[in-house]
Each structure stands twice: as C-alpha cells, then as structure tokens.
Amino acid sequence: MDTKKKTLFIAFSSQKGGVGKSTFTTLLASTLHYRMGYNVAVFDADFPQYSLSKMKSRDLTMVMENENLKKQAYRQFTLINKKAYPIIQQKADMVLDSANEFIRSAPVTPDVIFFDLPGTVNSSGILNALAGMHHIFTPITADRLVMESTLIFTQLLQDVVMKKGETSIETVNLFWNQVDGRESTPVYSIYELLIQQLGLSLMQSRVKNSTRFRKESELDSKNAFRSTLLPPDERLMRVCQLDAFVVEFLKIIQL
C-alpha cells in the first residue's frame, strides 16, 4: 500500500436541507470513481436518515430491473474492472476515526473520501468532523432563507472552526445550484456582492436546475444521472453544466 499518498477528506455541507449536498456527494463520487479512475469511498454520517446508504440499495434494485442500466453496469465492470465504491454508515462524532482506520486497512489507499454530514451544526461531533475536512463545498440557491442560513454556517466555519487553528480545512467553497435560466440576474449579483464583502469564496461554475434528469424511479430509463453504481450520463452533465463544475472542483482540490 502507498502510505505516502494523502487521502483528501471532502464534504458537501450545508445547514439548509434540500439544497443538494447528498446529490452532489453521489454525483462527484461516481464521476471520480467510475469515469476518472480515482479510488473513492463515502462515509454516510447523516444520522438517522443515512440517505446515501438507502440510495445504494435502491440503485442495486433498479440496475437489476432495468435492462439498459444492467448492460451499462456489466460493461463498466468488465471495462474498468472496478467494484462499486463503499458507502459506510457512521455517526458524526466517530466518523473521522473510522475514516482513518478505513485508510489504514484498505488494500488500495483511497484518493478521496466524501463525507455526507448532518445538516445541523447542533449535531454531536459535527464541528469536529467539519474541522477534519480538507475541502468543504456548500451548494446555495437564490433564496433568502437558504442564503441567510448558508452565510451564518460559512461564517461559523471561518470564525469558530478555522480560527481555532486545529483544523485541516484548506478551502470553503460556495457554489450556485438549481440555477433557473428564467431567474433575474440582479438577484445573483446582489448575493454575489454580499458573499464578496464577507470574504467568502464563490465558485465560477453554476449548476443548472437538473430535477427533470432525476428519473431513478423510471424502469425504462436509458441513462443514469444520480447513481451510486454508474457515473452521470455525459450529455445530461453538459446540459446542467455539471461537467464545468467537475473541472473547477478538481482544480480546487488539486487531485
């Protein structure tokens, strides 16, 4: 095992539910692991929902029942000869120790471990877990409640967690998600000015609203978008500009 290689700890984290942190964890983990050749693991610490663990069970069922996806999964496995990335359940207050133990015992050192953490800073162990991340990505939408919650969350990270000094955090990155082309651009300009004034980092990439591509329940679907077993369809990635987001994401983490 290559003991010199540093495993990056990354979290899509937000205090606001429904902004896409679990979705992005899956999309990026599947893109890196299945399409780009990196070795990935995911720790699902979002107790008690454990939504990513449940998603993997649904994905397995869907692949077995959908002939198109079954062929894709078989072709992928024979082509890259790679198992599905593990999704490990753990509570937030123990997740860092568990991740480090996983790295020590893994036959191949993971390049990246993604963490799906609880959506509230009041959860036990959450601040300590966040302090152990190397990079934090926070999806935001042009909604006043989302913005207020996010700005409080990111300032808490900067003022409390990062200023203590006992942290691994290298970057905290906000990014626009669920962007609707019909929304007026002045709304984004106003929020972007506020983000700049607060000294927070905003990614250039904007991920467009992709709800119409999430068809996990359709048994005749020909392509996967959000799946723990297959990478997102490249055409759908282009349509919602997730491809540009991945490029900027990799540049930030310097993988």
Side-chain angles (χ1 to χ4, degrees):
M1 189 173 74
D2 180 5
T3 54
K4 294 179 183 177
K5 183 165 70 173
K6 172 187 169 183
T7 300
L8 292 178
F9 286 9
I10 295 174
F12 285 91
S13 190
S14 172
Q15 252 199 133
K16 195 80 179 69
V19 294
K21 62 188 184 69
S22 296
T23 294
F24 276 96
T25 302
T26 306
L27 291 170
L28 269 293
S30 296
T31 299
L32 266 59
H33 189 78
Y34 300 123
R35 181 167 288 140
M36 306 189 83
Y38 295 108
N39 291 305
V40 169
V42 174
F43 272 78
D44 185 355
D46 195 6
F47 174 84
Q49 300 94 299
Y50 290 131
S51 55
L52 291 185
S53 303
K54 291 175 184 172
M55 187 190 297
K56 188 168 187 177
S57 298
R58 288 198 304 271
D59 290 343
L60 282 165
T61 301
M62 186 168 177
V63 165
M64 294 311 295
E65 294 177 354
N66 181 314
E67 287 302 317
N68 294 313
L69 299 184
K70 191 189 291 186
K71 286 175 185 173
Q72 282 184 42
Y74 175 76
R75 192 162 58 240
Q76 171 179 282
F77 183 74
T78 53
L79 188 67
I80 67 174
N81 192 25
K82 204 172 190 183
K83 292 180 180 177
Y85 54 82
I87 297 177
I88 301 139
Q89 289 185 13
Q90 185 55 269
K91 289 188 178 178
D93 54 1
M94 297 173 66
V95 75
L96 291 177
D97 289 340
S98 294
N100 285 313
E101 178 56 38
F102 176 83
I103 293 167
R104 284 191 290 271
S105 60
V108 178
T109 306
D111 298 294
V112 179
I113 295 181
F114 288 96
F115 294 79
D116 195 31
L117 300 170
T120 169
V121 291
N122 297 326
S123 300
S124 176
I126 182 67
L127 288 179
N128 186 53
L130 285 167
M133 298 299 110
H134 297 114
H135 301 280
I136 295 170
F137 292 85
T138 300
I140 53 174
T141 60
D143 173 271
R144 186 176 62 82
L145 291 176
V146 171
M147 289 302 300
E148 285 178 1
S149 173
T150 301
L151 295 176
I152 291 167
F153 170 72
T154 45
Q155 287 195 292
L156 176 76
L157 282 179
Q158 290 196 326
D159 297 343
V160 178
V161 178
M162 295 175 77
K163 281 186 179 174
K164 279 184 178 177
E166 299 173 8
T167 176
S168 303
I169 299 172
E170 295 172 24
T171 68
V172 179
N173 310 277
L174 305 181
F175 67 94
W176 290 115
N177 183 33
Q178 299 174 14
V179 174
D180 189 332
R182 296 166 298 181
E183 287 180 307
S184 63
T185 48
V187 173
Y188 289 98
S189 300
I190 291 165
Y191 283 133
E192 286 179 4
L193 181 61
L194 176 61
I195 290 166
Q196 185 182 4
Q197 287 171 345
L198 291 170
L200 303 173
S201 179
L202 178 69
M203 294 175 70
Q204 292 180 335
S205 311
R206 289 184 176 189
V207 182
K208 289 188 175 180
N209 197 328
S210 57
T211 50
R212 65 193 182 96
F213 306 131
R214 295 177 194 158
K215 299 179 178 179
E216 293 96 338
S217 60
E218 296 187 13
L219 291 178
D220 61 345
S221 176
K222 290 184 171 59
N223 299 297
F225 185 59
R226 184 178 59 170
S227 171
T228 59
L229 302 176
L230 293 163
D233 178 76
E234 290 184 275
R235 184 183 64 85
L236 297 181
M237 284 182 73
R238 285 193 299 273
V239 170
C240 66
Q241 298 180 357
L242 183 64
D243 55 346
F245 176 84
V246 170
V247 170
E248 189 175 359
F249 172 88
L250 289 170
K251 191 175 178 182
I252 289 168
I253 67 171
Q254 298 180 350
L255 191 58

